[in-house]
Amino acid sequence: MMYFGACYYPEHWTPDQAKNHIPYMKRAGINVVRMGEFAWSHFEPEQSRYRFEWMDTTIQALHKEGIATVLCTPTCIPPQWAVVKHPGMLQRDAEGRVRNAGSRCHCCKNAPEYQMLSDRIVEQMARHYADMPGIIGWQTDNEFGCHNSTRCYCDHCLAAFRDWLLEKYKDTDTINQAWGTAFWGFEFQQWNEIPLPRHMPAGNNPSHWLDFVRFSSDTQVKFQQSQFELLKQLCPKHFVTHNFMGRFPDIDYYKLAQFTDFPSWDNYPESGSDPFLPAYQHEITRSFTGKFWVMEQKSGPTGDSETGLLGEQPEQGEIRRWTWQAIANGADGVCYFRWRACLSGAEQYWHGILDHDGVQRRRYAEISKTAQEVAKFGNLFAGSTVDTPAAILRSYPLLWSVERQPGAAGFHYDDHCYEIYRAVKRTGHNCDFVNIDGDLSKYKVVFAPCLCLVDKKLADKLDAFAQAGGTVVFTPQSGARTPSNTMWAYPRPGALTAMAGLTVEEVRPYHHGQTEAIEPAGDRSPVPPATVAKWVEVLACKEAQPVAQFAGGRLKEKCAAARNACGKGMVYYLGVYLPAEAMAAFAAAVLPAFPIADIPENVEIARRTGKQGSYMFVINHGSQSEVITLPHALAELITGEKAGPEVKIARNGVLIFKT
């Protein structure tokens, strides 16, 4: 079943108002709501005094109208009585300042009192709602790590960090060696000498930093695991999810997703912004388990809770386009945030399907129309898969390592991953994302951007993939570091040298706007002429053959990119960061041919395959109509007619072909 819903807050409204909202939900085509993530103070107004009847009434009324409920554990915001009684559970930032109550995400997940109170409210809710008709699943908490809350620097975290390090390293000699603490005399003899990496006069030790970031991520995962296991034990008929935040960098979502039945994420695209960024985040989220929901989908202007600024109004057709984009890239459920704009609190400007006055206007009509389409066709896609020949190896420790030491000014690991993703997407292919320990066997091409943290195990894994016939693509800074974030004492790319068939002769970061021209080299080069900047590596080929060389200046004819035969497969090492057009041409050259050529830049194509068949979505994100050429005429679902080979797609248009 395809779920089409809204986020609802009955605690914001009187019982009569809440009751009157439900007929309008049903009329709009809503078949699921998400509720309860900020309502701990309503569920437990005093310690150990629980009130569920107010939510029971709403769930029952929704169920009567055929609307299911995803209930949330409300642990994001504990009641004020809990904060007053246990002030030590408030977070501290890197300067030691307390993160005060009154907003959200202010409690430390390593504080024993917070853990105890959270477990208790989750257990009470799970026992109460385990068999209530209408409830289909749970969302735990809300957006772990939001508002820079992943990394806490309180005394609870200091003690927990030392325990985490003890479990990992066993003794101080091992940690001193792993971190290279001989530099600047940062050596430890006792565990209680190890600090948190707070603000320091000079830069902190990169290995110390990376382990703290890993620990902080693991803290969020452990908190999720506790709730997941409790809910699955007491509510075995319900699914459990958590609303991720797309490309959010602070938590290892591969680990977090292990303690969900599937992940969700919260999507707030901006009119006029890059329309493929939501697709990037849809595909990241889908890749963790193979399926996902959008638990919060933008349905109106947003509002900044700190600045008090009102966001831009979605243009006509955008909400529908965003909804179908999510479904095209694998979503099995979409919930709009929120049903009705709230009248009080920090998010007064954060609109929903209905404005503050509750009047049904343009956005309500657009969502109702979209609901009719989803209801008509959605079951064709529910449970289907998105298959692709391409994957990007995207790792959170890599991201964190580069966050601390980007090397080149302005370089950002995830932006680089997105550049590669966008190049793949321009070919028409979808793209998966895999962790360093993920299964690569079903892919033909694996891009490994900025693979700086490498050991022999990872190198052997990639080598085996290439030996079996796969294509691996490395980009600059690969192979330079150990997994503990120290430098290898070997020529770059370190453990990748044998499979790449080359070494890096010289590294040249450019901080003052310098550029280099590159040109194709050798036979059938997939690298077009381009101008590169930011970071340049001069390559010394051994077994590898140059596919690009520098076109002039001091580096003239030196190798900039190379290709090496590896068993039945191929390994490319790009010693430069290719600009967008050049990367698009390179991706098209190394990926299997797509059946549609010359896809307009603002047109997105995605494919889902299931028991009902295979379907191709064509979405126009541009400001004017576009034309694509299909291999032959195909049946189009929304119009019910055959179209093609040449097909015109309107601005904000969505076409769905059975292939």
PDB file of all heavy atoms in Angstrom, residues 1-5 29-32 292-294 323-324 326-328 330-334 370-371 373-384 608 617:
ATOM      1  N   MET A   1       0.848  -1.200   0.000  1.00  0.00           N
ATOM      2  CA  MET A   1       0.000   0.000   0.000  1.00  0.00           C
ATOM      3  C   MET A   1       0.879   1.244   0.000  1.00  0.00           C
ATOM      4  O   MET A   1       1.903   1.286   0.669  1.00  0.00           O
ATOM      5  CB  MET A   1      -0.906   0.003   1.225  1.00  0.00           C
ATOM      6  CG  MET A   1      -1.805   1.222   1.329  1.00  0.00           C
ATOM      7  SD  MET A   1      -2.909   1.107   2.744  1.00  0.00           S
ATOM      8  CE  MET A   1      -3.819   2.639   2.571  1.00  0.00           C
ATOM      9  N   MET A   2       0.494   2.241  -0.773  1.00  0.00           N
ATOM     10  CA  MET A   2       1.197   3.520  -0.771  1.00  0.00           C
ATOM     11  C   MET A   2       0.520   4.442   0.245  1.00  0.00           C
ATOM     12  O   MET A   2      -0.684   4.705   0.159  1.00  0.00           O
ATOM     13  CB  MET A   2       1.169   4.153  -2.156  1.00  0.00           C
ATOM     14  CG  MET A   2       1.999   5.414  -2.285  1.00  0.00           C
ATOM     15  SD  MET A   2       3.788   5.139  -2.147  1.00  0.00           S
ATOM     16  CE  MET A   2       4.130   4.194  -3.629  1.00  0.00           C
ATOM     17  N   TYR A   3       1.299   4.918   1.215  1.00  0.00           N
ATOM     18  CA  TYR A   3       0.749   5.774   2.263  1.00  0.00           C
ATOM     19  C   TYR A   3       0.914   7.243   1.896  1.00  0.00           C
ATOM     20  O   TYR A   3       1.970   7.669   1.415  1.00  0.00           O
ATOM     21  CB  TYR A   3       1.411   5.461   3.603  1.00  0.00           C
ATOM     22  CG  TYR A   3       0.941   4.153   4.186  1.00  0.00           C
ATOM     23  CD1 TYR A   3       1.676   2.981   4.013  1.00  0.00           C
ATOM     24  CD2 TYR A   3      -0.262   4.087   4.882  1.00  0.00           C
ATOM     25  CE1 TYR A   3       1.220   1.776   4.533  1.00  0.00           C
ATOM     26  CE2 TYR A   3      -0.720   2.883   5.404  1.00  0.00           C
ATOM     27  CZ  TYR A   3       0.026   1.730   5.233  1.00  0.00           C
ATOM     28  OH  TYR A   3      -0.431   0.540   5.739  1.00  0.00           O
ATOM     29  N   PHE A   4      -0.157   8.004   2.141  1.00  0.00           N
ATOM     30  CA  PHE A   4      -0.226   9.413   1.766  1.00  0.00           C
ATOM     31  C   PHE A   4      -0.797  10.151   2.966  1.00  0.00           C
ATOM     32  O   PHE A   4      -1.955   9.935   3.330  1.00  0.00           O
ATOM     33  CB  PHE A   4      -1.139   9.564   0.546  1.00  0.00           C
ATOM     34  CG  PHE A   4      -1.141  10.929  -0.073  1.00  0.00           C
ATOM     35  CD1 PHE A   4      -0.231  11.254  -1.067  1.00  0.00           C
ATOM     36  CD2 PHE A   4      -2.056  11.885   0.328  1.00  0.00           C
ATOM     37  CE1 PHE A   4      -0.235  12.515  -1.656  1.00  0.00           C
ATOM     38  CE2 PHE A   4      -2.067  13.145  -0.245  1.00  0.00           C
ATOM     39  CZ  PHE A   4      -1.150  13.459  -1.246  1.00  0.00           C
ATOM     40  N   GLY A   5       0.025  10.962   3.636  1.00  0.00           N
ATOM     41  CA  GLY A   5      -0.440  11.446   4.928  1.00  0.00           C
ATOM     42  C   GLY A   5      -0.012  12.840   5.302  1.00  0.00           C
ATOM     43  O   GLY A   5       0.449  13.639   4.485  1.00  0.00           O
ATOM     44  N   GLY A  29      -7.727  13.023   0.838  1.00  0.00           N
ATOM     45  CA  GLY A  29      -7.082  11.769   0.441  1.00  0.00           C
ATOM     46  C   GLY A  29      -6.040  11.274   1.420  1.00  0.00           C
ATOM     47  O   GLY A  29      -5.274  10.354   1.112  1.00  0.00           O
ATOM     48  N   ILE A  30      -6.001  11.855   2.625  1.00  0.00           N
ATOM     49  CA  ILE A  30      -5.049  11.422   3.651  1.00  0.00           C
ATOM     50  C   ILE A  30      -5.436  10.033   4.146  1.00  0.00           C
ATOM     51  O   ILE A  30      -6.590   9.791   4.509  1.00  0.00           O
ATOM     52  CB  ILE A  30      -5.041  12.422   4.827  1.00  0.00           C
ATOM     53  CG1 ILE A  30      -4.639  13.822   4.360  1.00  0.00           C
ATOM     54  CG2 ILE A  30      -4.138  11.932   5.947  1.00  0.00           C
ATOM     55  CD1 ILE A  30      -3.266  13.925   3.788  1.00  0.00           C
ATOM     56  N   ASN A  31      -4.462   9.111   4.181  1.00  0.00           N
ATOM     57  CA  ASN A  31      -4.760   7.774   4.724  1.00  0.00           C
ATOM     58  C   ASN A  31      -3.854   7.393   5.894  1.00  0.00           C
ATOM     59  O   ASN A  31      -3.943   6.287   6.414  1.00  0.00           O
ATOM     60  CB  ASN A  31      -4.704   6.696   3.636  1.00  0.00           C
ATOM     61  CG  ASN A  31      -3.332   6.538   2.996  1.00  0.00           C
ATOM     62  OD1 ASN A  31      -2.319   6.976   3.539  1.00  0.00           O
ATOM     63  ND2 ASN A  31      -3.290   5.900   1.830  1.00  0.00           N
ATOM     64  N   VAL A  32      -2.982   8.325   6.331  1.00  0.00           N
ATOM     65  CA  VAL A  32      -2.142   8.077   7.497  1.00  0.00           C
ATOM     66  C   VAL A  32      -1.748   9.417   8.112  1.00  0.00           C
ATOM     67  O   VAL A  32      -1.614  10.420   7.392  1.00  0.00           O
ATOM     68  CB  VAL A  32      -0.880   7.267   7.112  1.00  0.00           C
ATOM     69  CG1 VAL A  32       0.036   8.070   6.202  1.00  0.00           C
ATOM     70  CG2 VAL A  32      -0.115   6.794   8.339  1.00  0.00           C
ATOM     71  N   PHE A 292      11.978   3.285   1.999  1.00  0.00           N
ATOM     72  CA  PHE A 292      11.925   4.429   2.912  1.00  0.00           C
ATOM     73  C   PHE A 292      10.589   5.152   2.762  1.00  0.00           C
ATOM     74  O   PHE A 292       9.830   4.916   1.824  1.00  0.00           O
ATOM     75  CB  PHE A 292      13.079   5.400   2.632  1.00  0.00           C
ATOM     76  CG  PHE A 292      12.911   6.246   1.380  1.00  0.00           C
ATOM     77  CD1 PHE A 292      12.502   7.569   1.464  1.00  0.00           C
ATOM     78  CD2 PHE A 292      13.167   5.719   0.124  1.00  0.00           C
ATOM     79  CE1 PHE A 292      12.346   8.340   0.318  1.00  0.00           C
ATOM     80  CE2 PHE A 292      13.027   6.483  -1.028  1.00  0.00           C
ATOM     81  CZ  PHE A 292      12.611   7.801  -0.932  1.00  0.00           C
ATOM     82  N   TRP A 293      10.315   6.030   3.719  1.00  0.00           N
ATOM     83  CA  TRP A 293       9.227   6.999   3.647  1.00  0.00           C
ATOM     84  C   TRP A 293       9.815   8.403   3.697  1.00  0.00           C
ATOM     85  O   TRP A 293      10.910   8.603   4.231  1.00  0.00           O
ATOM     86  CB  TRP A 293       8.283   6.867   4.835  1.00  0.00           C
ATOM     87  CG  TRP A 293       7.285   5.758   4.801  1.00  0.00           C
ATOM     88  CD1 TRP A 293       7.375   4.569   4.143  1.00  0.00           C
ATOM     89  CD2 TRP A 293       6.040   5.728   5.504  1.00  0.00           C
ATOM     90  NE1 TRP A 293       6.271   3.797   4.382  1.00  0.00           N
ATOM     91  CE2 TRP A 293       5.427   4.488   5.218  1.00  0.00           C
ATOM     92  CE3 TRP A 293       5.382   6.616   6.341  1.00  0.00           C
ATOM     93  CZ2 TRP A 293       4.192   4.130   5.750  1.00  0.00           C
ATOM     94  CZ3 TRP A 293       4.158   6.269   6.874  1.00  0.00           C
ATOM     95  CH2 TRP A 293       3.558   5.029   6.580  1.00  0.00           C
ATOM     96  N   VAL A 294       9.064   9.352   3.189  1.00  0.00           N
ATOM     97  CA  VAL A 294       9.291  10.757   3.528  1.00  0.00           C
ATOM     98  C   VAL A 294       8.303  11.076   4.640  1.00  0.00           C
ATOM     99  O   VAL A 294       7.098  11.112   4.414  1.00  0.00           O
ATOM    100  CB  VAL A 294       9.077  11.687   2.318  1.00  0.00           C
ATOM    101  CG1 VAL A 294       9.205  13.145   2.743  1.00  0.00           C
ATOM    102  CG2 VAL A 294      10.085  11.368   1.227  1.00  0.00           C
ATOM    103  N   THR A 323       6.277  15.435  -4.479  1.00  0.00           N
ATOM    104  CA  THR A 323       5.693  14.172  -4.010  1.00  0.00           C
ATOM    105  C   THR A 323       6.031  13.034  -4.966  1.00  0.00           C
ATOM    106  O   THR A 323       6.495  11.958  -4.552  1.00  0.00           O
ATOM    107  CB  THR A 323       4.172  14.312  -3.872  1.00  0.00           C
ATOM    108  OG1 THR A 323       3.875  15.396  -2.986  1.00  0.00           O
ATOM    109  CG2 THR A 323       3.552  13.033  -3.347  1.00  0.00           C
ATOM    110  N   TRP A 324       5.826  13.257  -6.259  1.00  0.00           N
ATOM    111  CA  TRP A 324       6.116  12.208  -7.230  1.00  0.00           C
ATOM    112  C   TRP A 324       7.614  11.941  -7.341  1.00  0.00           C
ATOM    113  O   TRP A 324       8.036  10.813  -7.621  1.00  0.00           O
ATOM    114  CB  TRP A 324       5.524  12.566  -8.600  1.00  0.00           C
ATOM    115  CG  TRP A 324       4.082  12.214  -8.715  1.00  0.00           C
ATOM    116  CD1 TRP A 324       3.025  13.050  -8.897  1.00  0.00           C
ATOM    117  CD2 TRP A 324       3.514  10.893  -8.648  1.00  0.00           C
ATOM    118  NE1 TRP A 324       1.841  12.360  -8.942  1.00  0.00           N
ATOM    119  CE2 TRP A 324       2.115  11.025  -8.795  1.00  0.00           C
ATOM    120  CE3 TRP A 324       4.044   9.627  -8.474  1.00  0.00           C
ATOM    121  CZ2 TRP A 324       1.257   9.925  -8.779  1.00  0.00           C
ATOM    122  CZ3 TRP A 324       3.185   8.536  -8.455  1.00  0.00           C
ATOM    123  CH2 TRP A 324       1.817   8.686  -8.603  1.00  0.00           C
ATOM    124  N   ALA A 326       9.660  11.885  -4.831  1.00  0.00           N
ATOM    125  CA  ALA A 326       9.934  10.950  -3.739  1.00  0.00           C
ATOM    126  C   ALA A 326       9.522   9.535  -4.114  1.00  0.00           C
ATOM    127  O   ALA A 326      10.271   8.566  -3.926  1.00  0.00           O
ATOM    128  CB  ALA A 326       9.208  11.404  -2.472  1.00  0.00           C
ATOM    129  N   ILE A 327       8.314   9.387  -4.666  1.00  0.00           N
ATOM    130  CA  ILE A 327       7.820   8.066  -5.035  1.00  0.00           C
ATOM    131  C   ILE A 327       8.680   7.475  -6.147  1.00  0.00           C
ATOM    132  O   ILE A 327       9.022   6.281  -6.129  1.00  0.00           O
ATOM    133  CB  ILE A 327       6.343   8.156  -5.457  1.00  0.00           C
ATOM    134  CG1 ILE A 327       5.486   8.567  -4.238  1.00  0.00           C
ATOM    135  CG2 ILE A 327       5.850   6.836  -6.035  1.00  0.00           C
ATOM    136  CD1 ILE A 327       4.048   8.902  -4.576  1.00  0.00           C
ATOM    137  N   ALA A 328       9.073   8.305  -7.122  1.00  0.00           N
ATOM    138  CA  ALA A 328       9.891   7.828  -8.230  1.00  0.00           C
ATOM    139  C   ALA A 328      11.207   7.239  -7.753  1.00  0.00           C
ATOM    140  O   ALA A 328      11.713   6.268  -8.318  1.00  0.00           O
ATOM    141  CB  ALA A 328      10.163   8.976  -9.208  1.00  0.00           C
ATOM    142  N   GLY A 330      11.736   5.777  -4.879  1.00  0.00           N
ATOM    143  CA  GLY A 330      11.606   4.621  -3.999  1.00  0.00           C
ATOM    144  C   GLY A 330      10.747   4.760  -2.770  1.00  0.00           C
ATOM    145  O   GLY A 330      10.595   3.797  -2.019  1.00  0.00           O
ATOM    146  N   ALA A 331      10.154   5.937  -2.513  1.00  0.00           N
ATOM    147  CA  ALA A 331       9.353   6.117  -1.296  1.00  0.00           C
ATOM    148  C   ALA A 331       8.079   5.288  -1.352  1.00  0.00           C
ATOM    149  O   ALA A 331       7.403   5.230  -2.383  1.00  0.00           O
ATOM    150  CB  ALA A 331       9.010   7.583  -1.095  1.00  0.00           C
ATOM    151  N   ASP A 332       7.740   4.657  -0.222  1.00  0.00           N
ATOM    152  CA  ASP A 332       6.488   3.922  -0.085  1.00  0.00           C
ATOM    153  C   ASP A 332       5.470   4.684   0.757  1.00  0.00           C
ATOM    154  O   ASP A 332       4.377   4.181   1.013  1.00  0.00           O
ATOM    155  CB  ASP A 332       6.739   2.551   0.558  1.00  0.00           C
ATOM    156  CG  ASP A 332       7.457   1.595  -0.378  1.00  0.00           C
ATOM    157  OD1 ASP A 332       7.339   1.769  -1.605  1.00  0.00           O
ATOM    158  OD2 ASP A 332       8.160   0.692   0.111  1.00  0.00           O
ATOM    159  N   GLY A 333       5.834   5.877   1.206  1.00  0.00           N
ATOM    160  CA  GLY A 333       4.927   6.711   1.969  1.00  0.00           C
ATOM    161  C   GLY A 333       5.414   8.142   1.963  1.00  0.00           C
ATOM    162  O   GLY A 333       6.625   8.391   1.985  1.00  0.00           O
ATOM    163  N   VAL A 334       4.477   9.090   1.907  1.00  0.00           N
ATOM    164  CA  VAL A 334       4.805  10.513   1.958  1.00  0.00           C
ATOM    165  C   VAL A 334       3.826  11.189   2.908  1.00  0.00           C
ATOM    166  O   VAL A 334       2.603  11.107   2.713  1.00  0.00           O
ATOM    167  CB  VAL A 334       4.715  11.172   0.564  1.00  0.00           C
ATOM    168  CG1 VAL A 334       4.973  12.673   0.667  1.00  0.00           C
ATOM    169  CG2 VAL A 334       5.694  10.533  -0.409  1.00  0.00           C
ATOM    170  N   THR A 370      -3.141  15.467  -6.019  1.00  0.00           N
ATOM    171  CA  THR A 370      -2.019  14.522  -5.969  1.00  0.00           C
ATOM    172  C   THR A 370      -2.439  13.231  -5.283  1.00  0.00           C
ATOM    173  O   THR A 370      -2.062  12.129  -5.713  1.00  0.00           O
ATOM    174  CB  THR A 370      -0.829  15.150  -5.244  1.00  0.00           C
ATOM    175  OG1 THR A 370      -0.509  16.407  -5.848  1.00  0.00           O
ATOM    176  CG2 THR A 370       0.383  14.246  -5.288  1.00  0.00           C
ATOM    177  N   ALA A 371      -3.236  13.355  -4.219  1.00  0.00           N
ATOM    178  CA  ALA A 371      -3.716  12.170  -3.497  1.00  0.00           C
ATOM    179  C   ALA A 371      -4.536  11.268  -4.410  1.00  0.00           C
ATOM    180  O   ALA A 371      -4.432  10.031  -4.335  1.00  0.00           O
ATOM    181  CB  ALA A 371      -4.546  12.595  -2.293  1.00  0.00           C
ATOM    182  N   GLU A 373      -4.181  10.922  -7.647  1.00  0.00           N
ATOM    183  CA  GLU A 373      -3.249  10.228  -8.535  1.00  0.00           C
ATOM    184  C   GLU A 373      -2.528   9.099  -7.804  1.00  0.00           C
ATOM    185  O   GLU A 373      -2.393   7.986  -8.332  1.00  0.00           O
ATOM    186  CB  GLU A 373      -2.233  11.215  -9.095  1.00  0.00           C
ATOM    187  CG  GLU A 373      -2.825  12.265 -10.020  1.00  0.00           C
ATOM    188  CD  GLU A 373      -1.800  13.277 -10.471  1.00  0.00           C
ATOM    189  OE1 GLU A 373      -0.695  13.331  -9.883  1.00  0.00           O
ATOM    190  OE2 GLU A 373      -2.098  14.031 -11.418  1.00  0.00           O
ATOM    191  N   VAL A 374      -2.068   9.394  -6.597  1.00  0.00           N
ATOM    192  CA  VAL A 374      -1.337   8.378  -5.830  1.00  0.00           C
ATOM    193  C   VAL A 374      -2.254   7.206  -5.487  1.00  0.00           C
ATOM    194  O   VAL A 374      -1.845   6.038  -5.552  1.00  0.00           O
ATOM    195  CB  VAL A 374      -0.719   9.006  -4.564  1.00  0.00           C
ATOM    196  CG1 VAL A 374      -0.113   7.929  -3.674  1.00  0.00           C
ATOM    197  CG2 VAL A 374       0.338  10.036  -4.937  1.00  0.00           C
ATOM    198  N   ALA A 375      -3.499   7.518  -5.132  1.00  0.00           N
ATOM    199  CA  ALA A 375      -4.442   6.444  -4.812  1.00  0.00           C
ATOM    200  C   ALA A 375      -4.715   5.568  -6.027  1.00  0.00           C
ATOM    201  O   ALA A 375      -4.897   4.345  -5.910  1.00  0.00           O
ATOM    202  CB  ALA A 375      -5.744   7.041  -4.289  1.00  0.00           C
ATOM    203  N   LYS A 376      -4.721   6.174  -7.214  1.00  0.00           N
ATOM    204  CA  LYS A 376      -5.028   5.440  -8.437  1.00  0.00           C
ATOM    205  C   LYS A 376      -3.878   4.539  -8.870  1.00  0.00           C
ATOM    206  O   LYS A 376      -4.093   3.411  -9.318  1.00  0.00           O
ATOM    207  CB  LYS A 376      -5.373   6.421  -9.550  1.00  0.00           C
ATOM    208  CG  LYS A 376      -5.879   5.767 -10.830  1.00  0.00           C
ATOM    209  CD  LYS A 376      -6.333   6.809 -11.833  1.00  0.00           C
ATOM    210  CE  LYS A 376      -6.878   6.165 -13.097  1.00  0.00           C
ATOM    211  NZ  LYS A 376      -7.317   7.189 -14.094  1.00  0.00           N
ATOM    212  N   PHE A 377      -2.641   5.056  -8.719  1.00  0.00           N
ATOM    213  CA  PHE A 377      -1.489   4.336  -9.263  1.00  0.00           C
ATOM    214  C   PHE A 377      -0.503   3.832  -8.207  1.00  0.00           C
ATOM    215  O   PHE A 377       0.362   3.022  -8.510  1.00  0.00           O
ATOM    216  CB  PHE A 377      -0.719   5.232 -10.239  1.00  0.00           C
ATOM    217  CG  PHE A 377      -1.570   5.800 -11.336  1.00  0.00           C
ATOM    218  CD1 PHE A 377      -1.775   7.162 -11.441  1.00  0.00           C
ATOM    219  CD2 PHE A 377      -2.182   4.968 -12.259  1.00  0.00           C
ATOM    220  CE1 PHE A 377      -2.562   7.690 -12.446  1.00  0.00           C
ATOM    221  CE2 PHE A 377      -2.972   5.483 -13.274  1.00  0.00           C
ATOM    222  CZ  PHE A 377      -3.169   6.852 -13.368  1.00  0.00           C
ATOM    223  N   GLY A 378      -0.614   4.329  -6.980  1.00  0.00           N
ATOM    224  CA  GLY A 378       0.415   4.067  -5.982  1.00  0.00           C
ATOM    225  C   GLY A 378       0.648   2.610  -5.692  1.00  0.00           C
ATOM    226  O   GLY A 378       1.784   2.178  -5.455  1.00  0.00           O
ATOM    227  N   ASN A 379      -0.430   1.805  -5.710  1.00  0.00           N
ATOM    228  CA  ASN A 379      -0.266   0.388  -5.384  1.00  0.00           C
ATOM    229  C   ASN A 379       0.550  -0.366  -6.433  1.00  0.00           C
ATOM    230  O   ASN A 379       1.042  -1.464  -6.169  1.00  0.00           O
ATOM    231  CB  ASN A 379      -1.636  -0.265  -5.205  1.00  0.00           C
ATOM    232  CG  ASN A 379      -2.295   0.150  -3.897  1.00  0.00           C
ATOM    233  OD1 ASN A 379      -1.623   0.621  -2.986  1.00  0.00           O
ATOM    234  ND2 ASN A 379      -3.596  -0.010  -3.808  1.00  0.00           N
ATOM    235  N   LEU A 380       0.704   0.233  -7.621  1.00  0.00           N
ATOM    236  CA  LEU A 380       1.562  -0.389  -8.633  1.00  0.00           C
ATOM    237  C   LEU A 380       3.025  -0.354  -8.204  1.00  0.00           C
ATOM    238  O   LEU A 380       3.817  -1.210  -8.595  1.00  0.00           O
ATOM    239  CB  LEU A 380       1.412   0.343  -9.971  1.00  0.00           C
ATOM    240  CG  LEU A 380       0.036   0.321 -10.628  1.00  0.00           C
ATOM    241  CD1 LEU A 380       0.055   1.184 -11.881  1.00  0.00           C
ATOM    242  CD2 LEU A 380      -0.376  -1.111 -10.977  1.00  0.00           C
ATOM    243  N   PHE A 381       3.383   0.658  -7.393  1.00  0.00           N
ATOM    244  CA  PHE A 381       4.780   0.867  -7.035  1.00  0.00           C
ATOM    245  C   PHE A 381       5.123   0.391  -5.631  1.00  0.00           C
ATOM    246  O   PHE A 381       6.294   0.167  -5.322  1.00  0.00           O
ATOM    247  CB  PHE A 381       5.142   2.348  -7.140  1.00  0.00           C
ATOM    248  CG  PHE A 381       4.539   3.048  -8.321  1.00  0.00           C
ATOM    249  CD1 PHE A 381       3.772   4.180  -8.162  1.00  0.00           C
ATOM    250  CD2 PHE A 381       4.714   2.544  -9.597  1.00  0.00           C
ATOM    251  CE1 PHE A 381       3.200   4.819  -9.239  1.00  0.00           C
ATOM    252  CE2 PHE A 381       4.149   3.172 -10.694  1.00  0.00           C
ATOM    253  CZ  PHE A 381       3.391   4.319 -10.518  1.00  0.00           C
ATOM    254  N   ALA A 382       4.132   0.267  -4.764  1.00  0.00           N
ATOM    255  CA  ALA A 382       4.408  -0.086  -3.373  1.00  0.00           C
ATOM    256  C   ALA A 382       5.150  -1.415  -3.305  1.00  0.00           C
ATOM    257  O   ALA A 382       4.758  -2.402  -3.921  1.00  0.00           O
ATOM    258  CB  ALA A 382       3.104  -0.164  -2.582  1.00  0.00           C
ATOM    259  N   GLY A 383       6.250  -1.409  -2.577  1.00  0.00           N
ATOM    260  CA  GLY A 383       7.037  -2.622  -2.416  1.00  0.00           C
ATOM    261  C   GLY A 383       7.978  -2.915  -3.559  1.00  0.00           C
ATOM    262  O   GLY A 383       8.703  -3.917  -3.515  1.00  0.00           O
ATOM    263  N   SER A 384       7.991  -2.071  -4.581  1.00  0.00           N
ATOM    264  CA  SER A 384       8.900  -2.295  -5.712  1.00  0.00           C
ATOM    265  C   SER A 384      10.305  -1.821  -5.348  1.00  0.00           C
ATOM    266  O   SER A 384      10.527  -1.208  -4.312  1.00  0.00           O
ATOM    267  CB  SER A 384       8.395  -1.555  -6.950  1.00  0.00           C
ATOM    268  OG  SER A 384       8.354  -0.161  -6.724  1.00  0.00           O
ATOM    269  N   ARG A 608      11.284   2.200 -11.182  1.00  0.00           N
ATOM    270  CA  ARG A 608      10.937   1.252 -10.127  1.00  0.00           C
ATOM    271  C   ARG A 608      10.404  -0.029 -10.773  1.00  0.00           C
ATOM    272  O   ARG A 608       9.659   0.027 -11.757  1.00  0.00           O
ATOM    273  CB  ARG A 608       9.881   1.823  -9.175  1.00  0.00           C
ATOM    274  CG  ARG A 608      10.362   3.003  -8.371  1.00  0.00           C
ATOM    275  CD  ARG A 608       9.325   3.481  -7.350  1.00  0.00           C
ATOM    276  NE  ARG A 608       9.081   2.517  -6.283  1.00  0.00           N
ATOM    277  CZ  ARG A 608       8.524   2.809  -5.116  1.00  0.00           C
ATOM    278  NH1 ARG A 608       8.158   4.068  -4.856  1.00  0.00           N
ATOM    279  NH2 ARG A 608       8.326   1.882  -4.204  1.00  0.00           N
ATOM    280  N   PHE A 617       9.644   6.969 -14.457  1.00  0.00           N
ATOM    281  CA  PHE A 617       9.126   8.295 -14.128  1.00  0.00           C
ATOM    282  C   PHE A 617       9.968   9.341 -14.852  1.00  0.00           C
ATOM    283  O   PHE A 617      11.201   9.280 -14.824  1.00  0.00           O
ATOM    284  CB  PHE A 617       9.211   8.549 -12.625  1.00  0.00           C
ATOM    285  CG  PHE A 617       8.412   7.584 -11.786  1.00  0.00           C
ATOM    286  CD1 PHE A 617       8.862   6.290 -11.553  1.00  0.00           C
ATOM    287  CD2 PHE A 617       7.209   7.971 -11.219  1.00  0.00           C
ATOM    288  CE1 PHE A 617       8.140   5.395 -10.772  1.00  0.00           C
ATOM    289  CE2 PHE A 617       6.469   7.092 -10.441  1.00  0.00           C
ATOM    290  CZ  PHE A 617       6.936   5.801 -10.217  1.00  0.00           C
TER     291      PHE A 617
END
